[in-house]
Amino acid sequence: MASDLPMSPHLEQIHGEIRDHFRALANGFQRLDKIKDSNRQSKQLEELAEKMRDCKRLVKEFDRELKDGEARNSPEVNKQLNDEKQSMIKELNSYVALRKTYLNTLGNKKVELFDTGAGVSGEPTAEENVQMASSMSNQELVDAGMKRMDETDQAIERSKQVVHQTIEVGTQTASNLKGQTDQMGRVVNDLDTIQFSIKKASQLVKEIGRQVATDKCIMAFLFLIVCGVIAIIIVKIVNPNNKDIRDIPGLAPPAQSRKLLYFRE
């Protein structure tokens, strides 16, 4: 069915690589039944796990390529290609389940879907687990399993505490940030008020300066007038016969003039 589906060259290449991996997995599990040594079986299972990881990566790549070309295909073709993808996923999961069965038979109790590889983070490999399990009694295996479960529970509890502390710190930080934001808003408002007051004060100072300058001019002008009047009075008193200086209205003539007028009469 899959060979009759219309595929792009890249999609067809990925599909062919996945099928090659499936054939290699089938042959590998067939050879595994003929291996009697547990160490060789563990090594063979690791090689098969590596094949499964590659196959999973190819299936994801097949799915991405299928989504990219979905607009170019008809709905019927897209349905057939999706069915083929689901079929490959089921076949891959069957090999994963088969590998778990073999690992359980060998006594490896620590099994994960698609192991991250041997020797990562200092953890024992599958081969080392088999050797350890084969040298332990049933009670020791049970005790080891219970100990591992207790360690897992403790790790989960520590993770919960870390999450709770992180949430509290985040809440406190958010509250502090909100308070600081409100304070900054008030400071900005106060600065705006101060700036407005400074502008008003500058305008008031300019206005007062203009008024003071006007008043000074007026006072200076009045002072000059007063000085001129005083000067005329002094000159008139000193030289009363000076005809070039008029009598100031309201100012009586000098006393000597009145005496001269009296004698003439």
Side-chain angles (χ1 to χ4, degrees):
M1 174 186 175
S3 59
D4 299 333
L5 291 175
M7 300 182 186
S8 64
H10 188 203
L11 193 63
E12 188 173 358
Q13 180 184 356
I14 297 172
H15 184 267
E17 292 180 4
I18 293 173
R19 286 302 170 188
D20 291 340
H21 278 72
F22 283 159
R23 284 191 291 271
L25 287 171
N27 295 333
F29 279 110
Q30 289 177 2
R31 290 194 301 269
L32 190 63
D33 293 332
K34 301 177 183 178
I35 299 174
K36 302 302 181 182
D37 184 61
S38 60
N39 293 334
R40 292 181 57 193
Q41 285 181 342
S42 299
K43 185 176 180 180
Q44 180 70 13
L45 285 173
E46 289 299 321
E47 293 177 357
L48 294 174
E50 184 65 27
K51 288 285 185 184
M52 293 178 193
R53 284 191 287 269
D54 291 340
C55 193
K56 181 180 179 181
R57 176 182 57 80
L58 289 171
V59 170
K60 289 183 177 180
E61 189 174 352
F62 182 89
D63 182 58
R64 286 194 299 268
E65 187 69 18
L66 183 62
K67 290 179 179 179
D68 292 339
E70 190 174 9
R72 297 189 297 269
N73 299 328
S74 63
E76 182 64 24
V77 172
N78 288 329
K79 182 178 183 304
Q80 292 176 357
L81 291 176
N82 282 315
D83 292 342
E84 177 64 17
K85 181 190 70 175
Q86 295 298 328
S87 175
M88 291 188 295
I89 292 174
K90 288 180 181 179
E91 187 172 355
L92 178 59
N93 287 335
S94 67
Y95 287 119
V96 173
L98 187 60
R99 177 176 176 270
K100 286 183 179 180
T101 302
Y102 277 100
L103 287 173
N104 289 330
T105 303
L106 290 173
N108 188 359
K109 302 300 181 180
K110 188 179 180 180
V111 181
E112 295 179 355
L113 179 63
F114 295 129
D115 295 332
T116 56
V120 178
S121 301
E123 295 181 355
T125 63
E127 182 178 348
E128 293 171 346
N129 284 332
V130 171
Q131 292 176 353
M132 292 172 58
S134 61
S135 62
M136 297 170 65
S137 63
N138 292 334
Q139 185 60 37
E140 290 174 341
L141 288 172
V142 172
D143 293 338
M146 294 297 293
K147 181 180 179 181
R148 182 60 59 85
M149 291 175 63
D150 292 337
E151 291 175 354
T152 304
D153 292 337
Q154 292 175 2
I156 293 174
E157 187 64 27
R158 288 194 297 270
S159 300
K160 289 181 178 179
Q161 292 178 359
V162 171
V163 171
H164 182 69
Q165 293 175 357
T166 303
I167 292 173
E168 290 181 350
V169 171
T171 304
Q172 184 65 29
T173 303
S175 179
N176 293 337
L177 288 175
K178 185 178 183 301
Q180 292 177 359
T181 303
D182 295 337
Q183 185 176 2
M184 287 298 296
R186 291 192 296 269
V187 170
V188 170
N189 292 334
D190 293 339
L191 289 175
D192 291 339
T193 303
I194 292 172
Q195 185 178 6
F196 178 77
S197 300
I198 291 174
K199 289 182 178 179
K200 295 294 289 183
S202 299
Q203 294 177 358
L204 182 60
V205 168
K206 290 179 180 179
E207 185 66 25
I208 292 173
R210 286 194 296 267
Q211 292 178 359
V212 169
T214 303
D215 293 339
K216 285 183 178 179
C217 291
I218 294 173
M219 291 296 294
F221 183 71
L222 293 176
F223 178 75
L224 291 175
I225 293 173
V226 171
C227 290
V229 172
I230 294 173
I232 292 171
I233 293 172
I234 293 173
V235 172
K236 195 71 175 175
I237 293 173
V238 172
N239 190 7
N241 297 322
N242 191 349
K243 301 299 181 178
D244 295 332
I245 301 175
R246 292 183 176 183
D247 294 338
I248 299 174
L251 184 64
Q256 293 178 357
S257 300
R258 287 199 298 270
K259 289 181 179 179
L260 293 173
L261 182 62
Y262 175 75
F263 286 124
R264 287 177 184 175
E265 292 177 349

